[in-house]
Amino acid sequence: MFPSPPSGERGGGEGDDWAHVEDAQRYGRGGLLPMAVFLTKNAPGLRTSPVKRGYWVVRRVLGEQIPPPPPTVPELPKDEANLGELTLPQLLARHRDNKSCAGCHSRFDAIGLVFEGFGPVGERRAKDLGGRPVQTAAVFPDGIDRSGLEGLREYLRDKRQDDFVDNLCRKLFSYALGRSLLVSDKKALDEMRTKLAADGYKFGSLVETIFTSPQFLNQRGRDDPQER
């Protein structure tokens, strides 16, 4: 990890210059999910948004398809300092009492709540903007209570690894080909997953499988029946 001075202070580092930080997990960093760009993008400004953060993880990282919310869903206060007596997790729990909302929110609220240790712009924190201690524990979709980023990593590794790998292969293959995936791509995707596991989940294995695939080596022509 190479934090700039301002982000280094937020992440737990010190100093006035860019610096290489070994073992970023000591500061709750390391990898994509605790990056400030992800945390800030999925927060409305003066408060965090477990809904947006959790939705992004299940949609973009795990590839789940989740319908848009009903148009009548009430907005939460835009400032954490104005939440009143209830904490944000308590407000979300009350929201899930609505049967029309519970089905979707049960899939991502808990995942978003583990990021409550990071403020609206990704800064580490122990209290929200209203001065209340943050809560990073939640009951995950598998029924197990986990806490914080390590709890999320455990869930992804132990329960959702196949979903993550499948989504990664599909997105990377589609990006490399510059088109949407077709039914005829299934064989190549199966080979990507198999070779990836055999190679110890090294990213280079995915790249090699893509670069040597017929889809990547050959350009589809107008006369191809699948292009019609």
Side-chain angles (χ1 to χ4, degrees):
M1 179 176 76
F2 289 86
S4 62
S7 63
E9 293 171 5
R10 291 196 297 270
E14 299 177 354
D16 297 327
D17 300 314
W18 290 81
H20 181 216
V21 177
E22 296 285 354
D23 190 16
Q25 291 190 10
R26 290 181 299 164
Y27 305 107
R29 303 292 178 175
L32 170 65
L33 296 179
M35 290 180 68
V37 63
F38 154 68
L39 297 165
T40 304
K41 175 179 172 58
N42 292 291
L46 292 177
R47 69 168 173 84
T48 59
S49 177
V51 172
K52 289 185 177 181
R53 290 173 174 178
Y55 176 86
W56 192 92
V57 171
V58 299
R59 179 73 181 87
R60 301 299 181 185
V61 177
L62 299 177
E64 289 191 29
Q65 300 294 327
I66 298 177
T72 57
V73 174
E75 288 282 342
L76 292 172
K78 296 186 180 298
D79 188 340
E80 284 183 348
N82 298 326
L83 291 179
E85 296 181 358
L86 296 179
T87 63
L88 193 54
Q90 289 171 335
L91 286 172
L92 291 176
R94 188 170 66 179
H95 184 71
R96 288 194 300 274
D97 288 340
N98 187 328
K99 292 183 179 180
S100 65
C101 302
C104 290
H105 280 267
S106 63
R107 297 163 64 179
F108 52 74
D109 274 7
I111 291 175
L113 285 170
V114 304
F115 294 105
E116 282 298 279
F118 300 93
V121 294
E123 75 280 15
R124 295 297 305 276
R125 65 178 190 171
K127 294 183 178 181
D128 66 17
L129 297 181
R132 294 171 290 263
V134 295
Q135 304 173 40
T136 63
V139 179
F140 275 63
D142 62 351
I144 297 178
D145 197 327
R146 296 183 176 88
S147 179
L149 198 57
E150 281 307 309
L152 175 57
R153 287 177 173 141
E154 175 189 289
Y155 172 70
L156 296 176
R157 181 181 60 249
D158 296 346
K159 303 292 184 178
R160 305 299 299 273
Q161 179 169 293
D162 289 344
D163 295 326
F164 169 75
V165 169
D166 180 70
N167 190 50
L168 174 63
C169 290
R170 294 177 64 85
K171 285 184 174 292
L172 193 61
F173 199 39
S174 177
Y175 178 80
L177 299 178
R179 63 167 173 79
S180 300
L181 298 180
L182 304 171
V183 175
S184 57
D185 296 323
K186 183 179 184 301
K187 180 180 179 181
L189 290 169
D190 290 342
E191 290 176 356
M192 287 176 67
R193 289 188 289 266
T194 300
K195 191 173 189 305
L196 182 64
D199 291 343
Y201 294 98
K202 297 178 180 177
F203 187 77
S205 176
L206 291 178
V207 176
E208 180 182 352
T209 306
I210 291 173
F211 284 3
T212 57
S213 68
Q215 290 93 327
F216 189 83
L217 295 174
N218 298 280
Q219 184 175 3
R220 304 177 70 88
R222 292 183 178 179
D223 295 332
D224 193 316
Q226 296 191 53
E227 291 289 339
R228 297 175 184 172

